[in-house]
Amino acid sequence: DTEVTQTPKHLVMGMTNKKSLKCEQHMGHRAMYWYKQKAKKPPELMFVYSYEKLSINESVPSRFSPECPNSSLLNLHLHALQPEDSALYLCASSQLLDRPYEQYFGPGTRLTVT
Amino acid sequence: GQNIDQPTEMTATEGAIVQINCTYQTSGFNGLFWYQQHAGEAPTFLSYNVLDGLEEKGRFSSFLSRSKGYSYLLLKELQMKDSASYLCALLSNYQLIWGAGTKLIIKP
């Protein structure tokens, strides 16, 4: 199983809503990532978890709150978002953080903030 | 700091060969990855180089020269489904630094 799954595929939310994005992998990977991608731009790293601990936070606003409940799951909690936060949110995983392993990406959640 | 350059767009003909170049500057090199991304979809891993030389994977090959800060992705026997963006990504201090991507357009 080399799949990373993400739910939901699409999400429309208002600026006062609270929602969560979910990501799951069963490859035994110990590093998991959240990226944000705008149209025609490369992915921008948001957060990195290594062994379920937050390893990297790329100065992301506090309206984005990551959570790693266990080694297979990664959540991104959203609250009071802005329209400019509309983007494709990608989850990825890799075998380990401090080794040059490829990252496997989920299909993404297309988020629209109204 | 790190910097990655790749062409914005390239056009090639079905059945032909195309080479997408990537140049980079970095203070901490751990590897160079190539990903393919179709519009609206997630990136998919194509190849990875950590040592100098050519890595071949079917129709796709990737080359690396660390001394020159240079890599290329070679696509042979182009098919229409190869129309996509190709992202060069530098692993530096074990973080992926992404190039802006090269949009490859395949014409019949």
Side-chain angles (χ1 to χ4, degrees):
Chain A
D1 180 5
T2 57
E3 192 180 21
V4 177
T5 59
Q6 288 186 245
T7 55
K9 288 189 177 180
H10 300 275
L11 178 63
V12 179
M13 61 186 289
M15 289 189 283
T16 58
N17 291 158
K18 283 186 182 180
K19 295 287 184 183
S20 296
L21 309 184
K22 296 186 184 303
C23 173
E24 192 166 3
Q25 57 88 13
H26 294 288
M27 296 178 276
H29 289 177
R30 304 316 298 263
M32 296 186 77
Y33 311 77
W34 278 116
Y35 287 90
K36 172 184 176 180
Q37 188 176 27
K38 292 277 207 178
K40 300 183 181 180
K41 298 286 187 183
E44 296 174 45
L45 183 65
M46 299 175 73
F47 303 103
V48 182
Y49 274 81
S50 177
Y51 287 90
E52 298 138 63
K53 289 188 173 7
L54 183 63
S55 182
I56 297 170
N57 175 343
E58 290 287 350
S59 303
V60 179
S62 59
R63 58 185 185 268
F64 295 92
S65 175
E67 178 196 19
C68 190
N70 61 54
S71 60
S72 300
L73 292 173
L74 187 66
N75 299 323
L76 186 64
H77 303 299
L78 314 173
H79 173 55
L81 295 193
Q82 304 296 311
E84 59 264 28
D85 297 322
S86 298
L88 180 67
Y89 287 83
L90 294 162
C91 173
S93 71
S94 66
Q95 199 162 339
L96 293 169
L97 180 59
D98 60 349
R99 295 286 190 277
Y101 291 111
E102 63 267 30
Q103 293 181 20
Y104 292 86
F105 284 82
T109 294
R110 177 74 58 188
L111 174 68
T112 304
V113 181
T114 60
Chain B
Q2 294 89 17
N3 188 49
I4 302 176
D5 287 308
Q6 50 180 132
T8 304
E9 188 173 296
M10 298 182 70
T11 303
T13 305
E14 189 177 16
I17 298 172
V18 71
Q19 178 174 310
I20 302 174
N21 295 326
C22 171
T23 58
Y24 65 88
Q25 294 92 41
T26 183
S27 55
F29 179 86
N30 303 124
L32 195 291
F33 291 81
W34 284 95
Y35 281 81
Q36 179 193 60
Q37 187 173 27
H38 286 97
E41 297 182 11
T44 53
F45 168 74
L46 289 178
S47 72
Y48 154 66
N49 296 74
V50 66
L51 299 176
D52 291 353
L54 189 68
E55 292 285 338
E56 298 189 75
K57 275 183 144 186
R59 293 190 299 116
F60 293 15
S61 303
S62 59
F63 172 83
L64 175 68
S65 169
R66 288 171 296 171
S67 61
K68 295 181 180 177
Y70 168 66
S71 175
Y72 68 72
L73 180 69
L74 192 72
L75 294 79
K76 302 176 187 174
E77 302 169 16
L78 286 170
Q79 302 174 9
M80 297 304 292
K81 67 178 182 179
D82 297 330
S83 292
S85 286
Y86 291 85
L87 297 127
C88 169
L90 175 67
L91 192 66
S92 176
N93 299 316
Y94 298 105
Q95 286 191 60
L96 269 185
I97 312 297
W98 296 85
T102 298
K103 183 178 180 181
L104 179 62
I105 299 167
I106 310 296
K107 294 186 175 178

